[in-house]
Every structure is written in C-alpha cells, then in structure tokens.
Amino acid sequence: MRFKNYLILLVLFFSATAFAQSGQVKGTVKEEATGLTLPGVNVLVKGKQANTSTDMDGNFTIQAIPGDVLVFTYIGYATQEVSVIDNRNIDVALTEDATELKEVVVVGYGTQKKKDITGAVATIDGEKFENRVNNQLSSLMQGQAAGVQVTSNSGKPGGGFTVRVRGTSSLSASSDPIYVIDGVVTSDTRSLNPADIEAMSILKDASSAAIYGAQGANGVVIITTKQGKSEKPVVTYDTYVGFQSVWKKIDVLNAAQYRDLMEETGRNTDWSLYTADTNWQDEVFQTGFSMSHQLSVSGKSNNTSYYISGGVVDQEGAVRSAEMNRKTFKVNLTQDVNNWLKVGTHVNYVDYRDVDVTDNSAVNQGGVILGVLNTPQNIGIYKENGTYTSNPFQDWENPISSTDAAQRGYRNQRLFGNVYGEIEFLKGLTYRTSLGIDYSNATSDYFLDPFSTSYGRAMQGIGRYNTYLTNYYIFDNTLNYKLNVEKHALEALAGVVYQKYKWENSQLERRNFASDQITTPNAGSIINTATADKSEKTNSAFISRLNYGFDGKYLLTANFRADGSSTFGPNNKWGYFPSVSVGWRISSEEFFSNVTAVNDLKVRAGWGLVGNDNIGTYRWFGGVGSGGNYPIGGVIMPGTYPSSIENRDLKWEATEQLNIGVDFAMLNNRIRFSADVYQKKSKDLLMSVQLPTTTGFGEAIVNAGEVVNKGLEFQVSTVNFDGDFKWSTDLNIAFNRNEVTNILGGTLGAGDIAGRGTSIRVEEGRPLGQFYGYEWGGVDPATGDVYYIGADGQPTFNPSADTDRKIIGDANPDFTYGITNTFSYKNFGLNVFFQGSQGNDILNATRFDTESMIDAKNQTTVVLDRWQQPGDVTDVPRVSTDGSIANSRISSRYIEDGSYLRLKALTLNYNFNKDLMNRIGLSGLNVYVTGENLFTITDYSGFDPEVNVFGSNNTAQGIDYGTYPQTRNIIFGLRASL
C-alpha cells in the first residue's frame, strides 16, 4: 500500500486560560493606545512563585506584599514591571511592541524592516538551531522555510545537499541558489561554521532577488554572522560529543542461501574454501563519533564591536573510514571612527579535511554501500597472505578493500571575507565600499599499494595528486540615501559591482610502484596522467533600488541591475534585470480600525526578471581541442582541432517570476500567517542541438528551452501558551508544479544506471524528473520470465525500447513540509522538529544489483521467493543463467513511493538558574541532548528515502543506487558563558 495518506497539519488554535486567585493586590490591565482592557495578560511576582492572568475584563488579583515587583507580559506588548507600594489597586497600560513587525531583515545590499518587505523573503533566526548542532548549513535550512527544498545527496561526513528554491529552473546550468555570506558571494557552504550564524534571509522571488541580476534566478541565501552586542565582553564555550549510526539495515542472503542461489544459476566451486559467514553490514557500518569545541568572545565598547571565534570539529562517519575534520577561525570587527566614518571587516579562515568513501557505484567499481549487499557472506576479510578476499566467481573484492586499502584524503584551506568602509556625507546619505575575497586552495591525494588488492596489483600501484585553486574577489561601491518627511519614507540605492573568478587545476597520476613505502606519485615510474588547466570569468554590474512607503500603508520596492559577463557572446554580453513589488497594509486603514482581533494584514504583489550565468566558462567561443596529433617523418607532432562551434548570440538563462502574497497576524500576534502564490518561468535555457554533418560539428549550444514552476506556500507561527509553560508552533508547507514547456519539440534522456540505459525522460508538457521505462506486468508462472505491458495494452516478453517505454513515475513531491514545536517550562526547554516530503517517487536502482540474479553478486532475501519451477506464483522472476537483463529492465517494478515523515531533530535542554551562575562566576550555562533522524515513517524499502545518486543534477532526480544513507545521531552538548 502506497504511503500516501499521512500529512500532519498541526495548526493549533487556542486561547489563554484565565484564572484568578485571592490575594492582597488587585488591578486592571488596559491597552495604552485604545484604553481597552486586555484579557489573558500574564502577571507574576518577580522572584516568587505567585502568578495569575487577567480575566475577560482585564482584572487580576494576586498575592503580593509591599516591595514586591509585579511583571506583566502579553504577546505583542512590551513587558512592564510595577512595584507594589501598598494594597491599593494597580492600573497598568501596556504599549504595543510588535517585535515581529519591527524586526530588521537583511536583503540584497541593505536591510529592511520586516513589516515593509513587499517580496517573498523567508527568514531563519540562528536561535532556532542554537541547540541543533550540525556540521553543514544546508541541513539547518531543511524544513525551516516554505518553498525551500533541501535534499541530502548522501549521509557521509561533508556530503553535499541539493537546495531548490521554488523548484528546478534549468536543464544544464546550475539550479542551486547563491549564498551571500557577510556580503561575499559563494556557492560552497560546506566549510562555513554554523555556530557563527546570526540569521539567514532567503530571497525566493524575482522581485527580491533581482538586485543580484545574473546570479539570482535560483534564489539567494543571505547569511549574516554574529556581532558583539553588549558592553560587557561575553566569552562563550560550546562543546558537544555525538554518536552516529545507520538507522536501517537490509536483509541479504546468508552463506548457505547464497550457495544455493549460485548452484541454481549453474555456478559451482569448491565450497570448502568458502566457509566464513561474514556480515558485511556489521563490518562496514559502525558507530561514528563526533566532537566539537568552539570558543568565542564578543562585545561592544569604545565604538568598537567585535566577535572572535575559533572552533574544531572532528567526525568519524557511520561507514568505516569516512572522516571529516574542520578547523575555523573568524573575526568580525566594526569601528565607528567618528560620527561620519565606520570601518569593519569579516574574516574567516577554514582548514577543512575529509576522507571520502565511494558510494553510488557497483561493487565491482569500488562502491562500498552496494558492496555490503552484494558481497557474499561466504568469504572473510583477508586471505592468508594478507590480501583482500574476493567473490568466489568474480574478482570483485570485498568492501573492506574499498574502505581500507587506499590512502586518500581531501584538504581545503580557505580564506574568505571582506573589508569595508562607510562614510555618511550628509544626514541620510551614506557611501559604502567593500572588497571581498574567497581564496580556496584544495588538494586531494590517493595511493593504492601494489600488493593488497587485485586492481593495485594489476596497475602495480597508483599514486594521484590533484590541486584545485579558486580565487574570487568582489568589489562593490554603493550610495544609499534615506529620507523621512511626515508620512513619506524614501530609500534609494545605487552602486557598481565588479567580480572576478579564476580557477587553476592540475591532475597527476603515476603507476608502477616498487613498494608501498613511498606513497607520493614521484615513486611511480609510469606517468598515466599529467595535465593542468586554467579558466576565469568576470562580471560587472550597475545596481539600483528604490523603497518608498506612504503612511506605513502603501509600499513600493523597485530594483534594476545591468549585468555584463565574459561568459556570454559579444552580441548579448549585457543582461538587464528589473523588478517591482508593491504592498498594501490593509490593517492600517481607517475602515479596518474596528477589527481589533487583527494586528496586521498586508497584501503583496511583485514581478521581476533574474538571470543564471552559472553555465561554465567560454561556452560561446569556438573551442579548440588538443590531442589532434599527427605523424611527420615518423615523429608524432602535436596538433589541435576545432572542438565546438562559435555562438556569438549566446546569452543569459532568464527567469521571470510573478508573486502574490499575504501576511497576517491576529490575537495580539499569537497567530502569524503568510501565504504566497507564484509563477516562475525560466526561458532561453541552454541546450545542445544537433547540427548538419556538413558543418563539421555534431552539436551546438543555443538558448532554446523553457521550464515553468508554479506553486503555493504557507507559513504559520502560533503561540499556544505563554506563561510559566510556553508552547509555540511553526508550520510550513509548499506545493510546486514543474513543467517543461519548450525543448524544440524533442526529448532528452538522462539517468544512465546499472547498464540499463536512461531512466529519465525530459519532454515538453511534462515535469523534469519523470521516470521512463517499461510497465511491469508480472512473472509468467509457466516460465518464470517477466512480461511487460506494451503500448497496445497487451503482455509482451520482448518489449520494444522505441514504442513500449512510457512514463512510470515522478520524482517531484506533491508537497514538502516542516513542523516545529517549541516548549519551555521554567528552566527546561524542548524542541521537536518534523520534516517530510509527500508524493515523490524513487527509482530504487539498488534493486537491479540485489534482486535481478544475473551474476555472482549476493542478493537480498527478496529472492528467496523467486520462481523455481513451473506453476510457482510469485512476483520474483527466475534466476538468469546467461546474464540477461530481460527480467530486470527499468520498469515500474522498481519505482517506489519515496514519501517520508522524519523526526529530524528532538532537543531537550536545561538552563541553570542565574543565581547559581552568579555564585560560580558564569553568566549562563546550558546543557542539552539532541537526537537527529530518530525515526522515519516511510514505505521505501531502501536504506534511506532522502537520496539521489546524481546529486544536484537538474534532470536526473530521485534515483538510489548504493547511496550513503542518512544516519541517526545522538548528541550531548554544553554551552557556558562568562
């Protein structure tokens, strides 16, 4: 039964329970602006247990004596403290404090009050994941913002994530958003320390992202890091230890069952040589361990704000030999030199290392995950001579050889940040200049000795050393003017931006090593690969923005950016990206003044055009290839040849987006609600088209494709209880529909998998991520062969690849969602975060290697129900004695429901009493325990439903082929502050 009917909609509507108790002090609480009484206001005696709340008429009674201090708190209003002088009545007037509406949000090249934003901007406060330790930023974004889909490509330490803001919008260019960290644009966030993050803003629509022009088509994630705030220096130490484990294992054939299967296929051997019974999942999967230490000091004094932090994270993965280590150092400084000049810097240094394990590959290609399933349990780990064992019938070595045999590592030393200055020429007129850099120097090395593995022996050892140097800088200068006159609020921005990227890479591989004592490539006598390449790219842009508000009710934002890029042909070097959005705060209108239950009601509408230039370098050039060598007089002379045809008209991929939204707050801001509907049309997508052979080229890159995304997003935040016991809920849910509207009438194939051809079909009128294959019919009881349903609806044992294949599944979810409940009682806190995806299909390609019975690989216990004699009724076909894939073609049999609901994080924390802290000289002490991925509800039969063998690929989505699964994590942490 498909897992299709669960969706938790936890939007709780509530009211505070008023109660009264007899006491010595009585009073009434009113709203200062209107004079209306306020029911449900929380009243407590400071430092004591006595508390109550106001009744329906705003009255309260509480036990208190002269000298006590009463504290009045109410959602949406400023907290007020009143001293008890005698037993007279106390009348209190609370002033509105719509903090949520006054919140300042970082947007492109500036900030805006949240109440004045007219685009689709999601914000994530760093406090939301303060006790949710994690090593990667993208994981912390998952499930926190409607319309932002985050999928783990793999569960390995340092494994990447695929982030899609309002769907996939390109065919061949990147669909990942850009990240702006303290003003520096980057696409790599793996080395960022999440503990340094203050807040994130996600610009989802074109009206908010257009100021990033050619880079904004896939959304923009703006990250601000922490600054010093208090006059007193704050020293904070964070530490945690964690344990990781694979949350699920898959049953495979034991030694005896594997022997029976092999004999049925006609394979036999001297089984007395293979008497082990090795559980490879137990050998490869382990309890991983992680540890983190972070020390920071921050403060603000003498016009200087500072935040300095250093940290180290060590992680051993749940798969043998997988490791990650990250050391970070960060400095944020801001200095007010005088009343017109401010200077500052953000500097980050990261030393990142990891040891990868091969996944997404078959056992005979070194794939570790498929290795634990496909390696027969009949063999041990090592032979008597110390080399690794292999399959009795093939030279496929056991998975420990893939984890342990080769020495390998990756290291990235990265420096990124900026320096800036701000000059206020006149009141409201500010000039800002900033120079940002991102310098990354990465290396990877590999050594396979010439003795322990069959591949190493065949190559007589392999040594590799690769370098990857990235040098990026951004220089921007902006002029900002703010003016407030009576009911008019105006802000104008203009500026210029210059960016340059440079990449330098080299690869060296040598073979034929005499021993394993020298592991660097210089010890190999045969050069197999020695190459190097360089490339660069520059962008120049003019930016502008206008914000205008009248009386806080009528809002306008307009952006315009002109972008020039070296990536595109001279006829379309420049792209122009305008946007406009408007807002109307209905709740501020006179006719709405009597609707006291509603605190804020704003409607928004926006339109904009943004671009995508992340398509690689030199795509418009007529390329020249090397390697066209030719002999002259018996001597091989180097030669070149035309490798691609010039296209001087090549231009930006452009995305046009229309967004309409509403923001709503009611019941003293206890309930806040936002909804957006959008249409996102991406056009001029880069495609390869076939050329006549008379041109001398097979294909050319042109702007031709179109993809449309349409969707709905909902975000709800509620305060359910607000007293000694507090409970708040955040819910987001997003629906996105994707459609390819133009690929020149043709089709595209993608997702080649397991030697069975393409599994994905891209065609007009359908979404990206459509699985393409045969319709499974069943197993013929007479022969044990599989029959398929042909295009004519009739069974066939020999389907035609041209006519009988059809759409058999869709990797796109019907909707994605996240639900967070936060509880606190006195010093205890509890955070419960669920995240899920509903309605998406997965092609479980792992089953091609674990159920097809076409070779000597071990299989899962599913094949115990295989057809063995005429008359057997089963859905598992017979064994194949000739290696034919006829019974295991890409078909609907391998399409599974990938929906899941996951308890992504559960955190229990305790804040020690401040009086106790003061006695021991601390300003705060918090201890917590966090569980991640504690349980997952899914019908998916593989290791994990949150997978994709092809990573961030736009067209090949939702395919599992031996992917490193997500892990269950238990983390114990402590945070202490001076």
Side-chain angles (χ1 to χ4, degrees), residues 404-685:
D404 291 16
Q407 300 177 35
R408 60 203 188 280
Y410 170 84
R411 183 182 186 187
N412 185 0
Q413 298 177 87
R414 185 179 181 194
L415 178 69
F416 69 101
N418 65 355
V419 292
Y420 65 91
E422 292 183 3
I423 301 174
E424 187 173 10
F425 293 110
L426 302 170
K427 184 178 180 180
L429 180 63
T430 304
Y431 166 71
R432 177 184 171 98
T433 182
S434 174
L435 175 64
I437 65 166
D438 187 352
Y439 180 84
S440 172
N441 185 11
T443 61
S444 66
D445 54 48
Y446 175 91
F447 176 72
L448 181 63
D449 71 71
F451 309 118
S452 62
T453 65
S454 60
Y455 185 58
R457 291 190 293 273
M459 299 296 105
Q460 295 181 296
I462 301 173
R464 299 188 189 118
Y465 188 76
N466 300 337
T467 66
Y468 316 91
L469 179 66
T470 302
N471 196 351
Y472 163 80
Y473 73 86
I474 178 171
F475 183 46
D476 52 61
N477 294 269
T478 58
L479 198 62
N480 192 72
Y481 180 65
K482 294 182 180 180
L483 177 66
N484 291 282
V485 179
E486 296 180 347
K487 295 183 178 181
H488 302 274
L490 175 70
E491 181 177 1
L493 172 82
V496 293
V497 181
Y498 181 78
Q499 302 175 78
K500 185 170 185 177
Y501 303 79
K502 188 173 183 179
W503 300 274
E504 299 181 25
N505 307 304
S506 67
Q507 297 86 37
L508 173 65
E509 179 181 311
R510 300 183 77 163
R511 299 178 179 177
N512 197 24
F513 286 71
S515 72
D516 59 359
Q517 299 303 301
I518 302 176
T519 61
T520 49
N522 59 292
S525 63
I526 299 175
I527 298 176
N528 185 63
T529 301
T531 184
D533 62 81
K534 296 181 180 180
S535 61
E536 60 182 44
K537 167 185 164 183
T538 57
N539 290 72
S540 296
F542 300 93
I543 63 175
S544 60
R545 178 172 59 220
L546 176 69
N547 293 327
Y548 173 72
F550 177 74
D551 200 20
K553 293 185 290 187
Y554 311 111
L555 308 169
L556 168 71
T557 299
N559 294 278
F560 181 77
R561 176 162 174 153
D563 247 319
S565 173
S566 63
T567 302
F568 301 104
N571 297 340
N572 288 297
K573 188 72 69 179
W574 286 85
Y576 304 97
F577 305 100
S579 76
V580 62
S581 57
V582 294
W584 176 26
R585 178 160 287 104
I586 301 173
S587 55
S588 295
E589 295 287 0
E590 183 66 29
F591 65 79
F592 209 81
S593 59
N594 292 328
V595 186
T596 57
V598 177
N599 304 101
D600 185 62
L601 176 60
K602 179 179 67 177
V603 293
R604 301 173 277 106
W607 169 90
L609 188 68
V610 282
N612 186 353
D613 71 341
N614 197 358
I615 62 169
T617 55
Y618 314 124
R619 298 297 295 272
W620 73 270
F621 283 93
V624 176
S626 60
N629 306 330
Y630 55 93
I632 296 180
V635 178
I636 301 297
M637 303 298 293
T640 59
Y641 61 93
S643 60
S644 62
I645 193 169
E646 179 181 275
N647 182 356
R648 299 175 68 86
D649 294 320
L650 200 68
K651 62 181 179 180
W652 317 89
E653 294 190 347
T655 296
E656 181 182 16
Q657 191 170 169
L658 176 67
N659 188 92
I660 299 174
V662 59
D663 301 320
F664 178 73
M666 64 180 296
L667 299 182
N668 299 309
N669 294 304
R670 279 183 176 269
I671 299 177
R672 296 187 302 274
F673 171 81
S674 292
D676 286 88
V677 57
Y678 62 87
Q679 176 176 285
K680 179 180 176 182
K681 183 177 182 181
S682 301
K683 55 187 178 181
D684 296 325
L685 304 185

Side-chain angles (χ1 to χ4, degrees), residues 761-829:
R761 183 179 177 91
V762 180
E763 63 179 74
E764 292 179 6
R766 291 186 176 274
L768 295 168
Q770 296 279 284
F771 295 119
Y772 187 63
Y774 301 98
E775 182 181 349
W776 171 275
V779 175
D780 178 17
T783 64
D785 287 324
V786 171
Y787 61 90
Y788 301 89
I789 306 302
D792 58 1
Q794 298 301 311
T796 176
F797 291 96
N798 298 292
S800 167
D802 295 328
T803 60
D804 290 329
R805 288 190 295 172
K806 62 187 70 173
I807 300 299
I808 56 175
D810 186 356
N812 297 286
D814 295 336
F815 55 86
T816 57
Y817 57 99
I819 307 167
T820 302
N821 282 281
T822 304
F823 307 88
S824 67
Y825 180 72
K826 296 184 178 179
N827 295 341
F828 288 95

Side-chain angles (χ1 to χ4, degrees), residues 686-730:
L686 293 181
M687 291 182 55
S688 294
V689 297
Q690 299 299 311
L691 295 178
T693 56
T694 54
T695 65
F697 299 94
E699 60 183 22
I701 301 294
V702 300
N703 296 99
E706 290 186 2
V707 173
V708 174
N709 287 275
K710 301 177 181 179
L712 291 169
E713 298 169 355
F714 301 95
Q715 193 107 15
V716 181
S717 296
T718 65
V719 177
N720 307 328
F721 291 96
D722 186 57
D724 279 349
F725 173 70
K726 301 179 186 296
W727 174 23
S728 62
T729 301
D730 293 299

